[in-house]
Amino acid sequence: MCDRLFDAAVNGDRRALARAISRIDDAAEGVLAAVAALKPRRRQGPGAPFVLGITGPPGAGKSTFTSRVVTMARAAGETVAVVAVDPSSPFSGGAILGDRLRMERHAGDSGVFIRSLSSRGHLGGLSRATTQVVDLLDAAGFDVIIVETVGVGQSEMAVMGVADTVLVILTPESGDVVQTMKAGLLEVADVFAVNKADRVGAEGLCRNLEMMVHMGAPPAGEDVHWTIPVHGCIATDGQGVDAVLDATRAHLAWCQAEGRARWEKRRGLGRIRSFLDIVSSDARMAARRALEENGLGEAIAAGDINPYSAAKAWSR
Ligand SMILES: Nc1nc2c(ncn2[C@@H]2O[C@H](COP(=O)(O)OP(=O)(O)OP(=O)(O)O)[C@@H](O)[C@H]2O)c(=O)[nH]1
Ligand SMILES: [Mg+2]
């Protein structure tokens, strides 16, 4: 069933593509085999397609920026897919609606495809779904794939495992350099953009970020080093967006040349993470089924069987 849907999806049927992504998001039966049969181009290496991860604090301007990038890529004749990864709770679904409105200007353009992912309730589900959806969009032939996610926890790590280049968008309001480091955003960033450069404090933040990225010594054992560029921009009127985009393309070019080994290493870690995500969510689903059988769940809840020995007995 899934195979035919996935075939149609990679052959240009946009409705099939949307449905295939829903199947992935729901971890539906047969999805794993269908994804495994895909032939993503980037298995060969970076660059085809360009997978750009965009992350940063809530409200930083990620979607506004993404919309600009879509317009620019279309003007250059490239097809673009956008995946908005939404790790928020089921009770705050407002952001995606706002995105829909913002992206409406691209509606009717068959060279643009926009979807959001939720995968709520699955352990590791979000990163699993993101990787699989990017493979599908890659196989479907998009030139640029943008993965947008709020940098509030694990989701940006998932983006890092799948993107060629990770752009971290900050604003003068999103906190200082120390907070950025504490949030782990320095570890995931290949390029920094300070958006809302029309607001007070943007220049200072740029300067401090510059200082921070130059302070960091190259990691031990790495003979090539990428120095994270920092650019200010105003996503609402487009100022500086092209310079940020050029910096992400420069990083991609670096990944294709001297940074190739580092790209391969990151991709390798991403693949290991995919494996662990799949195994852990499968195991959890199997354990849930086990709870429903033979009164195991009731017995554990009542304290008749202790959860440790039950888990040990089950995982054997
Ligand atoms: N002043 C100013 N406002 C901006 C700029 N870029 C975006 N905004 C505004 O900031 C608000 C949030 O923008 P979004 O693009 O939704 O931000 P986001 O990072 O996608 O937000 P979430 O997905 O909810 O995390 C909107 O009201 C934008 O119009 C900018 O450069 N300057
Ligand atoms: Mg957004």
Side-chain angles (χ1 to χ4, degrees), residues 205-256:
L205 180 59
C206 275
R207 264 200 312 275
N208 290 338
L209 282 169
E210 290 265 8
M211 257 160 46
M212 180 181 73
V213 300
H214 283 103
M215 250 163 36
E222 267 185 28
D223 43 0
V224 291
H225 183 60
W226 171 257
T227 303
I228 306 170
V230 181
H231 293 278
C233 66
I234 306 174
T236 34
D237 71 7
Q239 267 186 70
V241 171
D242 49 352
V244 176
L245 208 55
D246 285 350
T248 65
R249 297 271 187 186
H251 178 261
L252 176 68
W254 182 81
C255 291
Q256 288 165 320

Side-chain angles (χ1 to χ4, degrees), residues 59-302:
K62 298 178 293 296
S63 299
T64 312
F65 187 91
T66 298
S67 184
R68 292 255 162 220
V69 177
V70 171
T71 306
M72 288 163 75
R74 292 302 292 140
E78 294 172 312
T79 56
V80 193
V82 178
V83 195
V85 180
D86 179 15
S88 60
S89 81
F91 306 107
S92 66
I96 294 293
L97 182 67
D99 285 353
R100 284 241 173 86
L101 295 175
R102 206 165 295 121
M103 296 294 175
E104 219 150 61
R105 75 187 67 170
H106 306 294
D109 178 352
S110 64
V112 180
F113 181 84
I114 298 167
R115 271 300 297 247
S116 56
L117 285 183
S118 57
S119 291
R120 296 184 180 106
H122 300 289
L123 188 70
L126 209 50
S127 98
R128 177 178 70 165
T130 307
T131 309
Q132 295 180 355
V133 167
V134 169
D135 277 348
L136 177 60
L137 294 168
D138 179 339
F142 287 96
D143 298 317
V144 180
I145 300 171
I146 300 173
V147 182
E148 182 201 325
T149 188
V150 187
V152 287
Q154 286 299 301
S155 63
E156 71 271 17
M157 296 307 284
V159 166
M160 194 186 166
V162 80
D164 293 311
T165 300
V166 178
L167 167 65
V168 172
I169 300 189
L170 302 169
T171 68
E173 293 87 10
S174 65
D176 57 15
V177 169
V178 176
Q179 280 165 296
T180 305
M181 285 180 77
K182 275 193 186 153
L185 289 171
L186 180 60
E187 284 140 55
V188 299
D190 297 310
V191 176
F192 274 122
V194 174
N195 189 37
K196 309 198 184 180
D198 51 320
R199 300 230 175 121
V200 182
E203 254 177 64
L205 180 59
C206 275
R207 264 200 312 275
N208 290 338
L209 282 169
E210 290 265 8
M211 257 160 46
M212 180 181 73
V213 300
H214 283 103
M215 250 163 36
E222 267 185 28
D223 43 0
V224 291
H225 183 60
W226 171 257
T227 303
I228 306 170
V230 181
H231 293 278
C233 66
I234 306 174
T236 34
D237 71 7
Q239 267 186 70
V241 171
D242 49 352
V244 176
L245 208 55
D246 285 350
T248 65
R249 297 271 187 186
H251 178 261
L252 176 68
W254 182 81
C255 291
Q256 288 165 320
E258 60 266 43
R260 176 84 186 217
R262 201 175 87 165
W263 186 91
E264 299 279 6
K265 192 170 155 198
R266 189 152 107 182
R267 192 60 355 104
L269 291 174
R271 288 194 200 107
I272 297 280
R273 170 189 270 275
S274 285
F275 166 76
L276 291 173
D277 286 343
I278 292 164
V279 171
S280 61
S281 72
D282 284 356
R284 203 177 164 91
M285 274 195 270
R288 281 200 178 281
R289 281 197 298 275
L291 283 175
E292 283 160 22
E293 288 161 12
N294 310 323
L296 182 63
E298 285 91 345
I300 293 176

